[in-house]
Amino acid sequence: MEFETQETHSTGCKSLPVFVSLADINDDNRPDILVANQDTDNAGIFFNVQGSYFSEQVAYSTGDKSGPQYISVVDVNDDDKPDIIVANNRGHSVGVFLNNGSGQFHAVKLYGTGDKTWPPGVAVADVNSDQKPDIVVTNQNTNTIGVFINSGHGQFSSQQLYDVPDKSGVMHPQVVDVNGDAHPDIIVANSGGANIGIFFNSGNGTFVSCTIFSTGVDSHPNSVFVADVNGDNKPDLIVGNLKTSNVGVLLNAGNGKFLNQTIYSTGVDSQPRSVFVADINCDNKPDIIVANSNKENIGIFLNFGNGIFQPQRTYATGVFTKPWSIVVGDVNDDNKPDIIFSDIANHQIVIFVML
């Protein structure tokens, strides 16, 4: 595999782009780049103009002193236009931008998560089977999960709270059915608790108490990705363990049980901040891609095909860079996956295009 570094895209002076995502938000069949700019309090959009060429950033305010840290893109008001949902860490809220068409958005509508909750992550999925996507937010400082039920037309109820074990430091959520009952469950990385927590859906959009799976003593898991990596049609857990500098793979044993994690080193003191799963070498096997925030590189673990991975291959991101958040997708329509990451040291988005 070889990658060509394309031009970088500024997110603004002192913006601190802590999260990056891909989605076609203006219905032109090209994936656009979305970014959460924590220190300039906005959600940025880089429209895909042609191939891997992107417009300058268009920024939408997430509110004064909001500190956005995470973005999900889902149509929440049933108008066939993708909307933007952000977790406002400093604003103790979730923000909803409704799409006005052609990638233009209404001003943000805020839903409070509670005093001093500091939400770092948000996911959107229909948790109560009413064909309307709901919002799930992690409240790091109060060790709770908040669920906002969609009442229709992009309006949401007050959050229903679920407790995470004390001092868990709950981070980024995923909402996926992991126990095969056709109801989406909530999966979270518990940084302070050194584990992955799962809230199983009882079937009506309410959740049973948190079940935990260890990621290792003092591991500080920062991110989790849910994907079937061993081809058994059961979703597995892939976690970035920040402090122990490794990636953990927890294979799904069925019925909501997971095997003990298998760990893969990302390098001494590499601090893997973000993990993503995609078939990066086009062999029909999902691989692991990781942003090593303290080593100026992107790491790739190629899948042997049975959920066992080769040692990490690294790709330098440049001197004085700090890769923070990572996403994979085909941005230039050549049917090859490209890597996009945010560099918080230089307040920019960088694209690695597959050659």
Side-chain angles (χ1 to χ4, degrees):
M1 294 178 300
E2 294 185 27
F3 295 93
E4 177 185 2
T5 304
Q6 297 297 295
E7 65 182 73
T8 58
H9 299 273
S10 173
T11 54
C13 181
K14 298 181 180 179
S15 53
L16 206 70
V18 293
F19 185 80
V20 65
S21 181
L22 282 177
D24 176 13
I25 61 170
N26 58 347
D27 198 30
D28 64 356
N29 295 313
R30 293 191 291 262
D32 309 300
I33 298 173
L34 297 96
V35 58
N37 293 313
Q38 177 180 289
D39 284 3
T40 46
D41 298 324
N42 61 58
I45 304 170
F46 296 88
F47 289 102
N48 192 328
V49 179
Q50 184 179 5
S52 58
Y53 295 96
F54 289 82
S55 68
E56 292 187 2
Q57 177 180 241
V58 178
Y60 288 87
S61 173
T62 53
D64 186 41
K65 299 179 181 178
S66 53
Q69 284 196 353
Y70 207 91
I71 290 176
S72 288
V73 181
V74 178
D75 174 16
V76 297
N77 62 342
D78 198 30
D79 64 354
D80 295 322
K81 303 184 190 77
D83 308 303
I84 298 173
I85 300 87
V86 297
N88 288 325
N89 184 258
R90 296 170 185 163
H92 314 293
S93 66
V94 168
V96 177
F97 294 91
L98 295 179
N99 195 327
N100 197 29
S102 300
Q104 304 297 311
F105 291 85
H106 294 285
V108 67
K109 181 169 184 178
L110 300 176
Y111 294 86
T113 54
D115 187 39
K116 298 181 180 179
T117 46
W118 303 102
V122 65
V124 183
D126 178 12
V127 300
N128 61 345
S129 302
D130 66 352
Q131 309 304 314
K132 297 190 289 281
D134 311 298
I135 295 174
V136 176
V137 62
T138 48
N139 296 315
Q140 183 177 16
N141 196 48
T142 52
N143 293 310
T144 57
I145 302 295
V147 178
F148 294 84
I149 297 297
N150 192 330
S151 55
H153 306 293
Q155 305 294 314
F156 294 87
S157 66
S158 298
Q159 70 176 340
Q160 184 172 353
L161 293 173
Y162 296 89
D163 291 329
V164 185
D166 188 33
K167 299 181 180 179
S168 286
V170 60
M171 296 297 289
H172 304 151
Q174 299 275 296
V175 182
V176 179
D177 173 20
V178 296
N179 62 345
D181 65 356
H183 302 295
D185 310 300
I186 300 171
I187 303 95
V188 292
N190 293 325
S191 182
N195 60 60
I196 298 300
I198 301 179
F199 292 84
F200 291 104
N201 195 326
S202 60
N204 58 0
T206 61
F207 296 85
V208 299
S209 59
C210 185
T211 300
I212 62 173
F213 298 90
S214 174
T215 54
V217 175
D218 208 24
S219 52
H220 286 242
N222 191 76
S223 63
V224 62
F225 200 100
V226 183
D228 176 16
V229 298
N230 62 344
D232 64 355
N233 296 313
K234 296 191 288 282
D236 309 301
L237 309 180
I238 297 84
V239 57
N241 292 316
L242 185 71
K243 197 166 183 180
T244 48
S245 293
N246 58 53
V247 168
V249 177
L250 291 80
L251 296 178
N252 194 327
N255 298 316
K257 303 294 184 183
F258 290 84
L259 303 180
N260 292 336
Q261 74 169 348
T262 300
I263 61 172
Y264 298 88
S265 174
T266 54
V268 176
D269 198 29
S270 53
Q271 298 180 16
R273 184 70 58 170
S274 174
V275 294
F276 200 91
V277 177
D279 177 13
I280 199 70
N281 60 343
C282 302
D283 65 353
N284 296 314
K285 296 187 281 285
D287 309 301
I288 299 171
I289 304 93
V290 58
N292 291 317
S293 63
N294 204 40
K295 285 296 181 183
E296 300 173 347
N297 68 52
I298 298 300
I300 296 177
F301 297 86
L302 295 179
N303 193 332
F304 278 117
N306 52 1
I308 299 175
F309 294 84
Q310 298 178 26
Q312 177 181 237
R313 303 182 184 186
T314 59
Y315 295 82
T317 55
V319 179
F320 304 125
T321 59
K322 202 169 186 67
W324 203 258
S325 175
I326 195 164
V327 65
V328 177
D330 179 12
V331 299
N332 58 350
D333 198 29
D334 64 354
N335 295 313
K336 290 183 285 192
D338 310 302
I339 296 174
I340 301 91
F341 65 91
S342 64
D343 168 18
I344 67 165
N346 298 289
H347 311 287
Q348 62 185 4
I349 299 301
V350 182
I351 304 172
F352 280 7
V353 171
M354 176 81 78
L355 295 178

